[in-house]
Amino acid sequence: MQSFEKLLLENKAWAGEKKLHDPGYFERLATNQKPEFLWIGCSDSRVPADIIVNAAPGEIFAHRNIANQVIATDFNSLSVIQYAVQVLKVQHIIVCGHYNCGGVNAALGPQRPELELLNKWLLHIKDVYRMHRDEIDALNSQAERAHRLVEINVIEQVRRLSQFSIVQSAWKKDRQPVLHGWVFALDDGVLQQLITLPPGSDVDSIYQEFGDDA
Ligand SMILES: [Zn+2]
């Protein structure tokens, strides 16, 4: 059997088991989704959102990319965020990074000429590094520096979310979503909270959207 055939087989077994335990499961799943959470995580195969928080299908709306970035010109993540906030009206957005992140590690080194597209994506993390270079370079080892950049990257992505008009409008109108920055440790499987921005949190005036009363 080829590796991909195992996936199809596992799927059949999973669907069969679900139906056996709960005959109406898929009918209910098919009708609607009302997730409370938007998850923005890394594409890394070791950090599967639903599994590490033991969530069921329907609970988490997800977007994953290399090094869990929120980039203002990325229509893919922006579309996900707009739909999650304005249509699904999620109550929480979680940006989740993880230690030993290949994208963050790569951003600490020179560009690899054979990965010209990926280099561009990683430039944003290099910018985060440059903004916090004094703090990061003061750390003793490369591992510690990578560790800290993973955390700062998450915090910066959460701050970026707070700068989007989509989020600011929802804060004003719906008093949600709460923005969270978490980090996942591969060596013990535990999540840690790094930052929480509730609706109405301070946003630097240069990033504020003009409101009705502006
Ligand atoms: Zn990663």
Side-chain angles (χ1 to χ4, degrees):
M1 196 198 322
Q2 296 199 48
S3 55
F4 74 90
E5 290 174 315
K6 183 174 177 292
L7 296 183
L8 294 168
L9 214 62
E10 288 288 355
N11 165 257
K12 222 174 240 171
W14 171 79
E17 202 174 312
K18 280 276 175 207
K19 223 171 166 171
L20 191 69
H21 291 298
D22 180 357
Y25 181 79
F26 289 106
E27 280 78 9
R28 287 199 310 279
L29 197 66
T31 50
N32 204 2
Q33 65 163 341
K34 192 76 192 81
E36 204 178 308
F37 309 99
L38 165 60
W39 179 279
I40 300 173
C42 184
S43 300
D44 194 304
S45 63
R46 299 165 297 178
V47 196
D50 312 83
I51 292 176
I52 64 173
V53 295
N54 205 19
E59 287 187 55
I60 295 181
F61 196 68
H63 174 80
R64 290 168 67 183
N65 63 45
I66 290 180
N68 40 271
Q69 295 188 74
V70 178
I71 294 173
T73 50
D74 172 24
F75 274 59
N76 187 349
S77 60
L78 283 178
S79 304
V80 171
I81 292 163
Q82 180 164 49
Y83 190 74
V85 172
Q86 293 179 202
V87 181
L88 296 173
K89 295 196 180 290
V90 295
Q91 292 161 37
H92 302 272
I93 303 180
I94 298 153
V95 176
C96 184
H98 66 101
Y99 298 120
N100 307 93
C101 180
V104 170
N105 287 340
L108 278 165
Q111 303 196 48
R112 285 170 57 181
E114 75 280 16
L115 298 175
E116 56 278 277
L117 192 62
L118 184 52
N119 286 332
K120 309 276 183 296
W121 186 254
L122 296 179
L123 282 179
H124 297 277
I125 305 178
K126 288 180 188 290
D127 291 343
V128 171
Y129 172 44
R130 186 166 45 78
M131 284 161 56
H132 298 273
R133 197 158 190 161
D134 290 346
E135 178 192 340
I136 293 169
D137 284 358
L139 297 166
N140 290 325
S141 65
Q142 184 68 9
E144 282 174 274
R145 287 192 283 273
H147 212 78
R148 186 61 187 141
L149 184 55
V150 162
E151 295 171 350
I152 291 174
N153 180 49
V154 168
I155 292 166
E156 287 293 338
Q157 306 313 312
V158 170
R159 292 206 184 285
R160 176 64 81 214
L161 278 174
S162 75
Q163 294 158 1
F164 287 168
S165 55
I166 296 168
V167 169
Q168 289 180 24
S169 298
W171 277 2
K172 205 167 174 183
K173 206 168 135 246
D174 304 322
R175 300 298 300 162
Q176 60 180 37
V178 181
L179 310 180
H180 306 263
W182 295 355
V183 65
F184 179 72
L186 292 167
D187 52 9
D188 63 7
V190 175
L191 285 164
Q192 264 184 72
Q193 298 185 77
L194 298 173
I195 183 173
T196 308
L197 295 184
S201 291
D202 275 346
V203 176
D204 187 316
S205 61
I206 60 165
Y207 296 108
Q208 281 174 22
E209 190 192 22
F210 280 111
D212 297 328
D213 47 5

